[in-house]
Amino acid sequence: MTMQHHQETALDIIGSTIASLEEARRHLETGDRETAANALWQARGSVDYVARVLPADPNRPTAQREAFRSPGVRPGFETFHEYLDRTQPEILDGMYDPATDILPELPDLKAFCEKYGGRVIAVPAPPCLREHGINTVDAYPVDLIERFIGD
């Protein structure tokens, strides 16, 4: 998809999101909380979609940025947490517990990197994982992470 198409799609969705929010307000004013909740849920899904289709700004601050950063990672490598936070923070923002929700992906990423001859190095875990008792994680070559997720 082209950037123009992304923007047009986003504008259409923003319009429908505003309509959903207005609908929710009307239902709240009349005391119909269930229908209002459904309209709000629809608006939330629209906002999440717009965040996914528009390219993310990797420099935008996120509440999680420091929590996902592992100390001492060498240039050219990143942990999967760091990579997602830098390139696609909306994925992490949409998870219930982003620190642990992506852990099931790590064995497949490690196998992928090893299959293509990429070196995987152990590094100190980011703060978000140390809170869960995980002290080390793997860092992967950035180019192989990109290939793994299809960037």
Side-chain angles (χ1 to χ4, degrees):
M1 286 188 174
T2 67
M3 177 58 112
Q4 179 69 25
H5 180 66
H6 283 308
Q7 289 174 337
E8 290 170 3
T9 301
L11 288 172
D12 290 343
I13 293 170
I14 289 169
S16 68
T17 302
I18 291 169
S20 293
L21 292 171
E22 290 170 347
E23 178 185 351
R25 179 193 303 192
R26 283 191 307 275
H27 290 293
L28 281 174
E29 289 171 347
T30 62
D32 186 356
R33 296 178 68 186
E34 185 175 336
T35 305
N38 288 337
L40 288 171
W41 186 253
Q42 183 176 355
R44 180 186 183 276
S46 297
V47 170
D48 288 346
Y49 178 78
V50 169
R52 284 194 307 270
V53 299
L54 290 177
D57 176 1
N59 296 316
R60 83 173 168 97
T62 69
Q64 299 151 336
R65 188 163 299 280
E66 289 306 314
F68 289 142
R69 197 170 258 103
S70 287
V73 177
R74 32 194 303 198
F77 286 76
E78 284 184 312
T79 67
F80 199 42
H81 287 83
E82 287 174 309
Y83 178 84
L84 288 176
D85 187 52
R86 180 178 60 80
T87 63
Q88 300 174 12
E90 66 278 1
I91 290 175
L92 299 173
D93 292 343
M95 292 180 173
Y96 178 74
D97 181 3
T100 59
D101 286 356
I102 65 171
L103 292 177
E105 299 292 326
L106 299 183
D108 290 339
L109 174 56
K110 184 174 185 174
F112 180 86
C113 289
E114 290 172 344
K115 175 181 176 181
Y116 290 99
R119 186 167 175 219
V120 176
I121 56 175
V123 298
C128 67
L129 291 176
R130 287 197 306 265
E131 292 173 2
H132 294 280
I134 299 171
N135 295 316
T136 60
V137 293
D138 290 327
Y140 312 92
V142 172
D143 63 322
L144 289 178
I145 298 173
E146 290 169 350
R147 285 177 56 193
F148 177 75
I149 64 170
D151 272 355

